[in-house]
């Protein structure tokens, strides 16, 4: 660890959902379907969602600006989360220098499977000046719950 950016144990893991870091604010606003989410993004956002061992085309889940994010979020709302999502678990680990590793669990109606599902994803993110500027999500599981 770089001594110029020391982290105490209490600052590293776990950072509960109530910690007001950028990734938590963004995911809370995503759950609410709030357009206030855009105020939490840097103008130079580098955003991508990947899926582990999934045949689904996610090539469109990429954005490099808030305008691109609007397009991605509209499509996510239509094709993946038409009934919204409910956060089941959210905790992050501070990695230092604005970097975070987040475990994100959610429940949602997934039209691809035509049923309620739960998923666990892992997100590497970065914030600068309190704004999210890097987001890499890997969806690891989507499990049918109904």
């Amino acid at each position: 660890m770089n001594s110029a950016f020391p982290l105490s144990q209490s600052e590293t893991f776990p950072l509960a959902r109530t910690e007001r870091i950028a990734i938590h604010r963004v995911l809370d606003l995503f759950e609410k379907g709030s357009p206030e989410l855009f105020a939490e993004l840097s103008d130079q956002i580098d955003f991508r969602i990947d899926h582990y061992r999934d045949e689904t085309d996610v090539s469109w889940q990429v954005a490099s600006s808030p305008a691109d994010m609007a397009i991605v979020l509209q499509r996510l709302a239509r094709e993946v989360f038409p009934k919204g999502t409910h956060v089941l678990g959210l905790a992050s680990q501070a990695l230092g220098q604005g970097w975070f590793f987040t475990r994100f669990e959610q429940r949602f109606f997934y039209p691809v499977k035509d049923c309620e599902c739960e998923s666990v994803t892992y997100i590497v993110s970065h914030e600068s000046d309190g704004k999210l500027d890097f987001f890499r999500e890997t969806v690891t599981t989507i499990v049918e719950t109904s």
Side-chain angles (χ1 to χ4, degrees), residues 93-140:
Q93 177 178 0
L95 303 175
Q97 300 178 1
W99 290 96
F100 296 89
F101 178 74
T102 301
R103 186 175 197 274
F104 175 50
E105 301 169 63
Q106 62 185 328
R107 179 181 300 127
F108 57 99
F109 177 82
Y110 191 30
V112 171
K113 295 188 180 220
D114 194 32
C115 66
E116 287 287 318
C117 292
E118 291 182 2
S119 73
V120 175
T121 70
Y122 297 98
I123 301 166
V124 174
S125 65
H126 184 265
E127 63 179 71
S128 182
D129 297 322
K131 303 243 181 194
L132 190 71
D133 63 5
F134 183 88
F135 179 103
R136 286 294 181 281
E137 178 177 5
T138 302
V139 179
T140 61

Side-chain angles (χ1 to χ4, degrees), residues 1-145:
M1 184 173 301
N2 186 335
S3 62
F5 298 96
L7 293 171
S8 70
Q9 181 64 29
S10 65
E11 293 175 309
T12 56
F13 190 75
L15 297 174
R17 182 177 184 177
T18 55
E19 293 290 329
R20 302 307 302 157
I21 59 176
I23 187 64
H24 290 186
R25 293 190 314 268
V26 165
L27 292 173
D28 284 342
L29 291 166
F30 177 72
E31 177 183 37
K32 293 175 184 173
S34 175
E36 293 175 16
L37 177 149
F38 290 96
E40 304 295 337
L41 303 178
S42 167
D43 289 339
Q44 287 80 41
I45 185 76
D46 184 345
F47 176 95
R48 187 174 71 225
I49 300 173
D50 295 312
H51 287 235
Y52 174 73
R53 293 188 177 176
D54 191 349
E55 303 288 323
T56 307
D57 175 21
V58 294
S59 61
W60 57 271
Q61 296 177 357
V62 175
S64 59
S65 70
D68 291 347
M69 280 295 296
I71 294 166
V72 171
L73 289 172
Q74 288 170 353
R75 192 164 170 188
L76 282 171
R78 195 173 54 250
E79 296 179 24
V80 181
F81 303 106
K83 297 182 181 180
T85 191
H86 176 69
V87 176
L88 300 173
L90 175 60
S92 295
Q93 177 178 0
L95 303 175
Q97 300 178 1
W99 290 96
F100 296 89
F101 178 74
T102 301
R103 186 175 197 274
F104 175 50
E105 301 169 63
Q106 62 185 328
R107 179 181 300 127
F108 57 99
F109 177 82
Y110 191 30
V112 171
K113 295 188 180 220
D114 194 32
C115 66
E116 287 287 318
C117 292
E118 291 182 2
S119 73
V120 175
T121 70
Y122 297 98
I123 301 166
V124 174
S125 65
H126 184 265
E127 63 179 71
S128 182
D129 297 322
K131 303 243 181 194
L132 190 71
D133 63 5
F134 183 88
F135 179 103
R136 286 294 181 281
E137 178 177 5
T138 302
V139 179
T140 61
T141 61
I142 298 177
V143 177
E144 297 177 17
T145 60

